[in-house]
Amino acid sequence: DSGVTQTPKHLITATGQRVTLRCSPRSGDLSVYWYQQSLDQGLQFLIQYYNGEERAKGNILERFSAQQFPDLHSELNLSSLELGDSALYFCASSVSPDTEAFFGQGTRLTVV
Amino acid sequence: DAKTTQPTSMDCAEGRAANLPCNHSTISGNEYVYWYRQIHSQGPQYIIHGLKNNETNEMASLIITEDRKSSTLILPHATLRDTAVYYCIVRWAGSYQLTFGKGTKLSVIP
């Protein structure tokens, strides 16, 4: 158990809908990262927050957004969902941006 | 971040040492070598990282060549639970992200 908690574990939704994925980082970790893993793209970095502020952006679509709250948990919002958004979404956390990151068990999103 | 090259797959007999190679010939002086693994579809698991010295922890050892152009992850006594995809990642000290490649699929054989 990495100490990073992601909810829900599974999510099935229809195209065009909006969903919110939640991540609770390890105690004491200020950095949160989001990654997407699909069958054809592998693990792709989406976005990173440090102590509530966005620090880095990767291959995140405009339909996706994230935030980190004062209690350091983070949410990833996915809107106007398409079939191609079906994937595993992982959250990771670290003490600071330049230390090793620990991953949660992921949320499996299925868009039908 | 520098690119890495890993074999697509490897087999290892249970109880033997698993040696997973990684080539990172374009690595620069302030880039670290990280290893993660992913068991089935679970979240990637941090294993070890290093800059230029060899490193060891309770999971594995990391051997980095003197010119830093390649490294080897060693699992000293592989078990069936070590069957996973192993990712070698080169990460600049100031980079916030991990760039995952395709990794090496290690199969531990009974």
Side-chain angles (χ1 to χ4, degrees):
Chain A
D1 182 4
S2 67
V4 178
T5 303
Q6 291 188 246
T7 56
K9 286 190 171 45
H10 302 276
L11 197 48
I12 301 175
T13 190
T15 53
Q17 295 297 305
R18 172 189 167 95
V19 297
T20 297
L21 312 184
R22 183 187 167 101
C23 170
S24 294
R26 294 186 319 158
S27 177
D29 285 359
L30 300 179
S31 256
V32 169
Y33 313 76
W34 287 97
Y35 286 78
Q36 178 194 56
Q37 185 174 33
S38 57
L39 278 174
D40 55 346
Q41 293 290 329
L43 271 156
Q44 300 268 314
F45 168 73
L46 295 178
I47 199 164
Q48 185 238 348
Y49 282 81
Y50 177 73
N51 205 19
E53 291 188 11
E54 181 186 306
R55 284 295 184 93
K57 232 175 191 178
N59 301 320
I60 187 165
L61 299 172
E62 283 192 16
R63 300 183 285 108
F64 296 0
S65 65
Q67 58 184 128
Q68 186 180 27
F69 294 86
D71 67 353
L72 302 177
H73 91 272
S74 178
E75 292 180 356
L76 179 67
N77 299 296
L78 316 175
S79 62
S80 303
L81 285 166
E82 302 174 0
L83 296 178
D85 297 327
S86 295
L88 276 164
Y89 291 83
F90 291 106
C91 170
S93 73
S94 64
V95 170
S96 62
D98 58 350
T99 57
E100 59 271 24
F102 295 86
F103 285 74
Q105 289 305 299
T107 293
R108 182 178 292 279
L109 173 67
T110 303
V111 183
V112 298
Chain B
D1 297 330
K3 196 168 175 171
T4 62
T5 304
Q6 299 178 252
T8 303
S9 63
M10 293 181 63
D11 290 342
C12 177
E14 190 178 15
R16 305 296 294 266
N19 295 278
L20 292 95
C22 179
N23 183 286
H24 31 78
S25 57
T26 61
I27 194 170
S28 59
N30 60 355
E31 288 184 311
Y32 288 78
V33 179
Y34 278 76
W35 283 84
Y36 280 79
R37 72 181 181 183
Q38 188 173 26
I39 297 171
H40 195 46
S41 294
Q42 297 178 22
Q45 179 186 22
Y46 167 78
I47 301 174
I48 198 167
H49 75 280
L51 184 61
K52 44 186 171 182
N53 297 324
N54 297 338
E55 302 287 344
T56 296
N57 63 20
E58 64 279 2
M59 284 185 69
S61 294
L62 173 60
I63 309 298
I64 303 175
T65 58
E66 196 166 339
D67 63 7
R68 301 186 68 241
K69 292 185 177 182
S70 65
S71 60
T72 302
L73 178 75
I74 301 173
L75 307 179
H77 305 287
T79 71
L80 299 178
R81 288 178 297 180
D82 292 322
T83 292
V85 177
Y86 287 77
Y87 297 98
C88 170
I89 300 164
V90 169
R91 179 187 183 190
W92 171 56
S95 171
Y96 300 130
Q97 64 183 357
L98 296 165
T99 302
F100 288 84
K102 295 191 185 305
T104 296
K105 183 173 171 54
L106 175 70
S107 298
V108 179
I109 313 296

